[in-house]
Amino acid sequence: MVGYIRFADRLSAWFGKTFGWLVILMTIGMSYEVMVRYLFNAPTPWALDLSFIMYGTLFMMGGAYTLSRGGHVRGDFLYRTWSARTQAAVDLVLYVVFFFPGILALVVTGTKYASRSWSYTEVSVNSPAGIPIYQFKTVIVAAGILLLIQGLAQVFRCIMCIKSGAWMEAEDDVEETEELLIKQAAQAAKK
């Protein structure tokens, strides 16, 4: 189980970090749009569509990474007061009852949605540029598959926690700015 968890965490991290670079592309694209719109009075017909596509792709492909790092929303005001075993048991039930059926529905429905879009090479109707969007509909399926892989790893984490009484943490890779500042302040206070 540990090997699978590490594999799923690394896979999710790779996709999350890789698609995270879309933020920079979105910033460049929107900055260009603002510049040509307000400085040269020549707005682009494609910038808004492209920003929606990139944001949606970033959001979808980052879901499994967020799940692997415990970043999704939960009722922490109750959850954090429970023992690790209770947390794991509740998580396990919720994964089986809600998570997997929902993600399977996403993959099945997304596959139909994407294949239909590919069949007629769908383009955006929101702008006169007619940007092709059929290839981005495939992101729905890819994100669902990544979530299934990571969800199974989370189930394994739950089982291991129920047995041992302690959570198997994800490998350190990224920290929130606030956490870094707190650590730095604590280290400075020790000196």
Side-chain angles (χ1 to χ4, degrees):
M1 281 196 268
V2 173
Y4 180 82
I5 291 170
R6 294 285 181 226
F7 159 75
D9 284 354
R10 276 188 244 113
L11 182 69
S12 296
W14 187 86
F15 275 99
K17 290 175 184 179
T18 300
F19 281 89
W21 287 100
L22 287 176
V23 169
I24 293 180
L25 292 176
M26 286 174 18
T27 302
I28 292 168
M30 292 314 296
S31 296
Y32 174 80
E33 167 62 17
V34 168
M35 183 182 71
V36 298
R37 177 180 297 262
Y38 293 108
L39 292 179
F40 305 116
N41 197 25
T44 62
W46 50 263
L48 185 62
D49 282 343
L50 210 56
S51 70
F52 285 160
I53 290 167
M54 284 191 281
Y55 179 72
T57 301
L58 168 66
F59 179 81
M60 294 290 289
M61 295 305 285
Y65 177 62
T66 305
L67 180 62
S68 75
R69 299 305 186 256
H72 287 288
V73 176
R74 66 164 42 116
D76 281 345
F77 69 99
L78 291 175
Y79 186 85
R80 69 176 166 221
T81 63
W82 299 339
S83 71
R85 281 191 169 99
T86 303
Q87 290 175 350
V90 169
D91 281 358
L92 184 60
V93 168
L94 293 175
Y95 277 114
V96 171
V97 174
F98 294 108
F99 179 83
F100 286 112
I103 297 302
L104 286 170
L106 176 73
V107 171
V108 169
T109 305
T111 300
K112 293 176 186 173
Y113 191 49
S115 65
R116 189 174 338 128
S117 184
W118 275 88
S119 71
Y120 60 88
T121 58
E122 184 177 8
V123 297
S124 173
V125 296
N126 294 325
S127 74
I131 293 174
I133 58 173
Y134 54 91
Q135 65 275 32
F136 295 106
K137 301 276 177 101
T138 309
V139 168
I140 298 168
V141 180
I145 291 169
L146 286 172
L147 281 166
L148 284 173
I149 292 168
Q150 188 61 50
L152 184 57
Q154 298 305 105
V155 164
F156 288 163
R157 271 193 173 92
C158 292
I159 292 168
M160 290 171 57
C161 182
I162 291 169
K163 289 179 180 179
S164 70
W167 284 105
M168 178 185 170
E169 297 294 326
E171 294 174 5
D172 287 337
D173 65 342
V174 176
E175 287 187 78
E176 293 288 331
T177 305
E178 293 87 14
E179 292 175 19
L180 288 172
L181 292 173
I182 290 168
K183 285 181 183 178
Q184 288 174 356
Q187 288 173 352
K190 288 179 184 178
K191 292 179 182 178

